[in-house]
Amino acid sequence: MRHSPRSTIWSRFIGCLGAAILTAVGLSVPAAAHPSPATKATAATSASETSSSAAAEDGLALTPPMGFNNWNSTHCRDEFNEEMIKGIADLFVSKGLKKAGYEYVNLDDCWALPDRDANGKLVPDPKRFPGGIKGVADYVHSKGLKLGIYTSAGTQTCDRLGFPGALGHEESDARQFADWGVDYLKYDNCNNWGIDAKQRYRAMREALKKASEATGRKIVYSICEWGENKPWEWAKDVGQLWRTTGDISDNWGSMLSIAKQNLPLAEYAGPGHWNDPDMLEVGNGGMTDTEYRSHFSLWSIMAAPLLIGTDLRKATPETYEILGNSEVIAVDQDQLGKQGKVLSSQNGRWVIAKEMKDGSRAIALFNETDRPQHIATTAAEAGLPQAPAYKLRDLWQHRTYQTAGTVSATVPAHGTVLYRVSADKNWAAYPPAADLGLKGTALAEAGTPAKLDTTFTNLGRGAARSVAVKVTGPEGWSAKATSPSGATSLGSGKTLTTHWRLAPPAGAKPGAYDLKLRADYRSPSGAQGRTELSSTAHVVVAPPSGSSSAGDLPWVSATNGWGPVERNTSVGESEAGDGHQLTIGGTTYAKGLGAHAPSEITYYTGGRCSTFSAQVGVDDEKNQNGTVTFEVWADGKKAASTGTLTTADSAKAISAAVDGAETVRLVATDAGDGNDSDHADWADATFSC
């Protein structure tokens, strides 16, 4: 099952089956739901006569739109109102977001009354918007900003309360929007009565064009049909942007899944026509700042619209820092209009490169896994010309280096390093780039030292001088080097490896703790260099002797394709604890793990366990057609795996010898079918220790 936007499964069921049911019993579909044959013919003729790109004639959205939308933070709650929208506009100005490029302040669903007036016109909710939409638009415009609005290409919008959609009212609604001063329309996909998507979305395109001709107001057109009909293949002459996925949620699995769906579509993006992987969740609290930086980096290198989805009135300084990073925004807003392309993605280590108008390349090194990873490419692989050395700008650390050609970093779990790389004849003026690395994951039992290795590699053309590496843990932790942590001079391509003893205090509770690595050095000419790496140390507890259910044991980390991994139930929706009883092939299980492929769950076993076993399969409850494989990894080596399983299969036994392993990782994949909506159950998952 694909998680339907805003829990609209019921409304879409009514919308898609309603017309067929009504027709079957001899009743007519509401007039608003079915445009006349003449309207259909006109829409088809108009579509064939338009240019190949809506932007070519309108000059709209020549770079990806930037702004705000309230849905992710408020949904239809009472706090979504005129005061909020005006407050967001004020913050755009006072917090520098307008200067950074954000310009659209967009209303989502629930701004209207449930019924049209006697003339068939939309009526703004007077409680939410006492000054009307025009009043809000006038206020937003007075700030030098633009206003956006929402409706659906159906008879009702997506909210369960059922606000009026625009199907059959396209011209009237488009004219109202233009008269109110609306600059941006998000056009959703609910309650569409099964009418062809191209027809519905082109009808509104024609209506917006007529409204523009009558009023002089151009409106950016955002097609929100969730990628169901591959709009990237046909919507270039319809709107300026189109959703490529279902709705995003504020968790790592959702963001990652959506990014993976959008990344392969680079060839379809360009000035005035953008792939839209949905709005930003940065600041809403469901991810870490590291994950939010990855979210923002990926959306920027994908040339995606940047629509803030958090209530800026409550945002933290860290949120403003991420959203206001002008160097990352410049990657998104580059006028060449290229979407970044994937150069490699092996084992969750992604390299994405984006061609920039000035000839440079933005390069993202993205780590989707739950442990630090070394990720590397070269300037040549990214498409840069051969040169003695290159200028390398770190867009999050805001530091400039030079590299002999290698572009690499050890990237923290769920992190992204974002560089801008260019050939520069003045490369020697910058300190050499360096890759500060961490081997493995720092795991320590309370009061017991753990071994940790760091590496410092000089990537520059010249030597790195006076190298000094430092490791810092939380208060009460000790980190002592047991081999040299510095070097007088380190030549190009050379590596300094340092062994450390890392010890948490005796009373440290199990869990994840921040770990900081830093290296200071200088170039032969004296230019100062510094590189830093944020990582995680874990205080862990080994399973007790005997047999233990994995559903009852603490894990070191867990990543999931949708929502959190669940203990002793199937995976649910986006919240913890909303799953159901584990059921595979008609058999129910009281214990185990509910995951959502792709997923990874890592346990610390401390060399004390001999076997892991489980009954695995795709949960019955969703009646899915996707495929899943299950794997058990012990200390980075595959110890057991299943073949491809589907909902048609009964549970399959999997057992792995894990003798002496420090960690055991449970992996579920989509078996290569690209379907990210399979519920992967590890029933009766047991460690024998």
Side-chain angles (χ1 to χ4, degrees), residues 599-617:
S599 58
E600 292 190 8
I601 312 161
T602 301
Y603 286 90
Y604 174 75
T605 49
R608 302 174 196 175
C609 299
S610 57
T611 60
F612 169 83
S613 62
Q615 298 290 320
V616 297

Side-chain angles (χ1 to χ4, degrees), residues 8-301:
T8 59
I9 303 166
W10 175 248
S11 66
R12 290 181 57 209
F13 174 81
I14 295 296
C16 294
L17 294 187
I21 294 171
L22 291 174
T23 301
V25 297
L27 298 176
S28 61
V29 178
H34 278 311
S36 68
T39 301
K40 295 179 183 179
T42 300
T45 301
S46 298
S48 67
E49 294 174 351
T50 55
S51 67
S52 62
S53 171
E57 62 180 60
D58 293 333
L60 294 173
L62 297 182
T63 60
M66 295 176 60
F68 166 85
N69 180 292
N70 66 281
W71 184 261
N72 288 352
S73 59
T74 70
H75 295 268
C76 279
R77 295 190 295 272
D78 290 344
E79 61 195 285
F80 167 49
N81 55 32
E82 183 173 314
E83 180 183 0
M84 176 192 189
I85 297 303
K86 289 181 176 179
I88 297 297
D90 293 340
L91 287 167
F92 267 27
V93 176
S94 65
K95 293 292 188 178
L97 294 174
K98 175 186 173 184
K99 185 177 180 180
Y102 295 94
E103 63 175 337
Y104 293 99
V105 183
N106 294 349
L107 318 181
D108 211 281
D109 207 347
C110 309
W111 59 266
L113 288 180
D115 297 306
R116 296 173 180 271
D117 68 13
N119 297 314
K121 298 291 186 181
L122 296 165
V123 183
D125 185 335
K127 291 184 178 180
R128 292 186 189 270
F129 297 96
I133 302 303
K134 188 177 188 310
V136 175
D138 289 345
Y139 186 87
V140 169
H141 292 159
S142 74
K143 300 291 182 178
L145 301 168
K146 297 179 180 179
L147 184 78
I149 207 164
Y150 164 98
T151 188
S152 181
T155 53
Q156 292 182 321
T157 64
C158 290
D159 188 77
R160 292 175 179 175
L161 295 177
F163 299 97
L167 188 62
H169 294 270
E170 290 89 352
E171 288 193 17
S172 174
D173 290 358
R175 181 59 186 265
Q176 268 193 281
F177 298 152
D179 287 341
W180 284 339
V182 167
D183 305 287
Y184 183 112
L185 172 63
K186 175 183 174 182
Y187 203 37
D188 218 334
N189 196 30
C190 293
N191 301 297
N192 58 52
W193 293 88
I195 297 174
D196 179 69
K198 297 177 185 179
Q199 175 184 315
R200 290 181 290 114
Y201 285 97
R202 283 174 174 154
M204 179 54 80
R205 185 269 316 274
E206 292 304 304
L208 291 172
K209 184 178 179 181
K210 289 182 180 179
S212 175
E213 291 170 349
T215 65
R217 179 163 296 279
K218 295 180 179 181
I219 298 177
V220 169
Y221 185 21
S222 171
I223 294 170
C224 183
E225 62 88 77
W226 317 323
E228 291 194 336
N229 295 279
K230 299 182 179 180
W232 48 89
E233 295 182 350
W234 53 265
K236 185 177 180 181
D237 67 340
V238 182
Q240 284 74 42
L241 58 155
W242 47 79
R243 279 278 293 279
T244 57
T245 70
D247 283 9
I248 194 170
S249 294
D250 185 26
N251 62 74
W252 173 256
S254 173
M255 188 280 291
L256 177 61
S257 171
I258 282 178
K260 287 182 175 181
Q261 293 174 65
N262 194 71
L263 278 164
L265 304 176
E267 66 181 284
Y268 299 101
H273 49 278
W274 308 104
N275 294 314
D276 177 10
D278 205 7
M279 299 169 289
L280 296 167
E281 291 283 6
V282 175
N284 282 331
M287 290 183 263
T288 66
D289 285 344
T290 294
E291 292 169 338
Y292 282 139
R293 280 189 289 272
S294 286
H295 182 11
F296 199 67
S297 297
L298 290 172
W299 263 233
S300 294
I301 205 163

Side-chain angles (χ1 to χ4, degrees), residues 3 36 59 61 66 89 193 222 263 276 279 361 371 397-398 443 447 488 510 569 655:
H3 292 269
S36 68
M66 295 176 60
W193 293 88
S222 171
L263 278 164
D276 177 10
M279 299 169 289
R361 298 292 187 275
R371 53 203 175 280
Q397 294 190 8
H398 305 296
L443 304 173
T488 302
T569 69
S655 181

Side-chain angles (χ1 to χ4, degrees), residues 282 289 293 315-324:
V282 175
D289 285 344
R293 280 189 289 272
T316 64
E318 291 78 13
T319 294
Y320 275 108
E321 182 180 0
I322 293 170
L323 295 173

Side-chain angles (χ1 to χ4, degrees), residues 303-325:
L306 299 180
L307 294 176
I308 296 168
T310 193
D311 188 342
L312 292 170
R313 299 172 300 174
K314 306 172 184 177
T316 64
E318 291 78 13
T319 294
Y320 275 108
E321 182 180 0
I322 293 170
L323 295 173
N325 187 327

